[in-house]
Amino acid sequence: MSATATHGSVKTFGKGGIHPGPNKGMTSGKPIEDIPPPKEVRLPLVQHLGEPATMIVKKGDLVRRGQKIADGGATGAPLHATISGKVKPLDRYPHPTLVMSQAIVITRTEGEGTEELEFPEDPAWRGVSREEALERIREAGIVGLGGAAFPTFRKLTLPEGVKLDTLILNGAECEPYLTSDYRIMLAHPVEIVEGAMVMARILGVKRAIIGVESDKPEAAAKLEAAAAGAERGDVKIEVGMCQARYPQGAERQLVHALTGRVMPARALPSAVRVLVQNVATAVAVHDAVRYRKPLLDRVVTVTGPGIREPKNVRVPIGTLLADLVAFGGGFHKGVTRVVAGGPMMGRSLPRLDIPVIKGLNGLVLLTGVSPFEGGYGPCIGCTRCVEACPLGLEPDQVSVRVEAGRQLETEPFGAIDCYECGCCTYVCPSSRPLVQFMQVAKASLRRAGELRIRK
């Protein structure tokens, strides 16, 4: 009946990878700040993988922070009011990953009847059944907070016949600039370990590893102390130190580094008896099972040379990005690009009247010349992209075929397996948009596959 902690040697994945400038110094020393409640939140019905949520309130309703306002259905996740206020008519608004999406808008009101709902501790929370823990996680609307945003209760519900032996918590945070997970690990190590315990019990595994990159020793020490202090069950909690190397935080690379197991192409970690969750997700799971508290806020790193006061900020989900920029003191001159997420895998945004959704972990404001602004050159056959690809794919071969309009010839070079980490584009001496070529090839191959299925 014990939990133990040990990080042993520094580990990493096999092939490929790069070492981009970390640029984390602007926010790594900044504790998490709470943003003042915004005047308005926009909560898109689509902010996770699965069916869209279904609105259960109506225009004019007065709702309290913490109240459920949309059901998640069988495969989605519910939504909750993240501020107290009045519901506006359902309408379509800009979305960080879609062009437009239906969203529930709440305008803040104060006074009697608008107090935040309370979520007292369930004193028997450690003894709840697996089914009850899953139901609390589902009802809390938790999705993966590392960016993928897959509903957590679904990920923890294993298909019949699937057996796991290891839970991995992802604290690698290998994307440059981002430090939200780092600050969460410093601020909430006990909640992370308790969340891991809950998930380990649900999955029936006896081993959990928290993966942390070696440039975050303070976080590793906090987690080790928390794990050493945990005294429930026979789950062994380890802190696995990984080399600071991009994309160390990708599931496939993290599983390889921490367990030595290699996932087959296009397979999930369960193929090698592993499940991966983000450290921020573990905190949310703890809160859901212990307090029945829904997912109302998330921590976002607001950073980059284009913001006056880079910060790590806890914000109500649905807060507009413009409010985050204002809380960071506004723009510096010369902002050329606003990126949702990290600069390697994030998405450039054309506007700031877009809400924080559950999967958004960073807002990076960049200055200087944008990628591809000066155009790009031809492939010179240097194969640096092949050497950098952590999957061993051949982006050079894919790119020249896409340029020639021969997308359907790219499958042998791995286009369909690419998860768009951006290593190839980063190292290309001709500044070629190799990830974008991969995206075009993947889309063409998928469409062709769908057409074959229809025939």
Side-chain angles (χ1 to χ4, degrees), residues 28 51 58 161 165 169 196 217 252 273 294 312 336 361 369 387 407 414 450:
S28 60
E51 63 188 284
K58 61 184 185 300
D165 58 30
L169 293 192
R252 183 175 296 271
R273 305 184 306 284
N312 288 297
T336 53
N361 55 1
V369 178
E387 295 166 10
Q407 290 93 321
E450 289 170 3

Side-chain angles (χ1 to χ4, degrees), residues 29-95:
K30 304 277 187 73
I32 298 166
E33 293 183 54
D34 288 297
I35 195 171
K39 293 180 180 176
E40 177 180 293
V41 293
R42 295 179 188 171
L43 295 154
L45 298 178
V46 177
Q47 36 183 315
H48 54 264
L49 297 176
E51 63 188 284
T54 304
M55 185 172 177
I56 56 174
V57 291
K58 61 184 185 300
K59 172 190 169 185
D61 282 356
L62 195 62
V63 295
R64 297 168 66 184
R65 175 175 154 89
Q67 179 181 334
K68 188 163 79 170
I69 56 174
D71 266 326
T75 63
L79 284 174
H80 300 77
T82 57
I83 60 172
S84 296
K86 187 168 287 188
V87 176
K88 294 175 70 173
L90 189 67
D91 206 345
R92 292 172 65 80
Y93 295 93
H95 188 282

Side-chain angles (χ1 to χ4, degrees), residues 11 52 111 400:
K11 301 173 180 177
V400 296

Side-chain angles (χ1 to χ4, degrees), residues 414-444:
I416 203 74
D417 297 322
C418 174
Y419 62 84
E420 304 170 21
C421 67
C423 288
C424 54
T425 300
Y426 183 84
V427 299
C428 179
S430 293
S431 302
R432 291 168 63 75
L434 296 173
V435 168
Q436 285 75 12
F437 284 130
M438 285 295 219
Q439 291 170 339
V440 171
K442 272 202 304 187
S444 297

